Amino acid sequence: MGFFDFGTIFFLIAAVVIFFQLRNVLGRRTGSERPPFDPYTAARTGDKDAAQKPENVVSLPRKRQPGEPAVDTYAAIDAFAKPDSDLNKGLRTIKDNDPSFDPKGFVDGAKMAYVMIVMAYADGDRKTLKNLLSREVYDGFVAAIGEREAKSEKIQSSFVGINKADIVSAEMKGGEAHVTLRIISELISATRDKAGAVIDGDPETVAEVKDVWTFARDTRSRDPNWKLVATEEED
């Protein structure tokens, strides 16, 4: 019995000593440690390389080697619009003032904005419109929505899709970039009165809509968002 007690005490003392040695070698968790690298999460976010780099490493632009061709700043624009055309020159001018500008990416964003604006107008969603429209265009849209609401009229709309969206002009006005698109879309739309009767449009017919919209952005601002500054509907 005495031997058992001595052996138990011995192992307890040994365990305590080992615990303190491990703590001194490995340290204690403070709650501020960086999480372990997860290759699956990093791959989904496209930030795998960044997750593996030390925090104090800053990537600098690589110096062009002798004989290496220079990067063509206007390559994307020349592929988008015919070189020496007025459109190409206008897009180049915007690129000069906003190096991040890409015409194809702009069209993709404008198409999404177009759908959001059309549906927000139909739904009377002033909050969404305010973020996408210039002050002047916003005031016009809100006035039309207010007039519709005063008559208890509602627009029933279903967006079918955009068939075509082309940049037709581009220019700088002072520090503002202006890009105009011709958009052809398909929409099912009908306006109903207070009693629910259709007074405009057709709730069962897909109509082709042709719009000419101009978006603008202040290239001197850190705000990357473009806003709708002018609208025109083609017959």
Side-chain angles (χ1 to χ4, degrees):
M1 188 69 176
F3 176 77
F4 176 78
D5 292 339
F6 174 76
T8 301
I9 293 173
F10 174 79
F11 285 114
L12 286 173
I13 294 174
V16 172
V17 172
I18 292 173
F19 170 76
F20 278 104
Q21 287 179 338
L22 287 174
R23 189 178 68 167
N24 290 334
V25 173
L26 301 178
R28 290 175 293 178
R29 295 185 64 84
T30 64
S32 60
E33 294 85 1
R34 295 183 63 183
F37 173 65
D38 181 354
Y40 303 102
T41 302
R44 287 196 300 270
T45 60
D47 198 28
K48 180 176 179 180
D49 293 337
Q52 292 176 318
K53 291 180 181 178
E55 292 180 345
N56 60 342
V57 173
V58 178
S59 298
L60 298 176
R62 184 176 66 86
K63 183 178 180 180
R64 184 162 58 92
Q65 300 299 318
E68 182 180 354
V71 176
D72 186 354
T73 304
Y74 305 114
I77 292 174
D78 290 344
F80 187 87
K82 185 178 179 180
D84 296 326
S85 65
D86 289 340
L87 178 58
N88 184 284
K89 293 176 182 177
L91 293 173
R92 282 182 173 230
T93 302
I94 293 177
K95 182 73 172 179
D96 291 339
N97 288 270
D98 179 6
S100 66
F101 177 75
D102 173 70
K104 185 178 183 301
F106 171 84
V107 171
D108 291 339
K111 288 163 67 175
M112 288 189 290
Y114 179 85
V115 176
M116 292 175 65
I117 292 170
V118 169
M119 298 310 296
Y121 173 73
D123 296 337
D125 184 354
R126 293 171 173 81
K127 183 177 180 180
T128 296
L129 292 175
K130 190 170 186 178
N131 293 328
L132 297 170
L133 311 180
S134 68
R135 180 70 189 198
E136 294 77 11
V137 176
Y138 174 77
D139 289 343
F141 274 43
V142 168
I145 292 173
E147 182 179 347
R148 189 174 74 213
E149 292 174 342
K151 298 177 181 178
S152 297
E153 296 175 352
K154 292 185 178 181
I155 294 180
Q156 175 187 345
S157 292
S158 295
F159 200 90
V160 178
I162 294 177
N163 295 333
K164 199 172 183 181
D166 296 319
I167 296 179
V168 295
S169 68
E171 62 180 331
M172 289 294 300
K173 293 184 178 181
E176 277 195 346
H178 286 245
V179 181
T180 301
L181 299 95
R182 183 174 182 266
I183 303 171
I184 302 176
S185 64
E186 290 186 339
L187 185 72
I188 300 174
S189 181
T191 303
R192 296 181 181 273
D193 63 15
K194 187 176 182 179
V198 176
I199 58 176
D200 187 34
D202 188 333
E204 298 181 357
T205 301
V206 177
E208 184 179 75
V209 180
K210 299 178 181 179
D211 287 306
V212 178
W213 284 16
T214 299
F215 292 86
R217 188 183 87 80
D218 188 345
T219 59
R220 299 161 298 187
S221 171
R222 292 184 178 181
D223 184 356
N225 295 320
W226 293 72
K227 291 193 175 185
L228 180 63
V229 297
T231 64
E232 180 182 349
E233 186 175 344
E234 289 187 354
D235 296 331

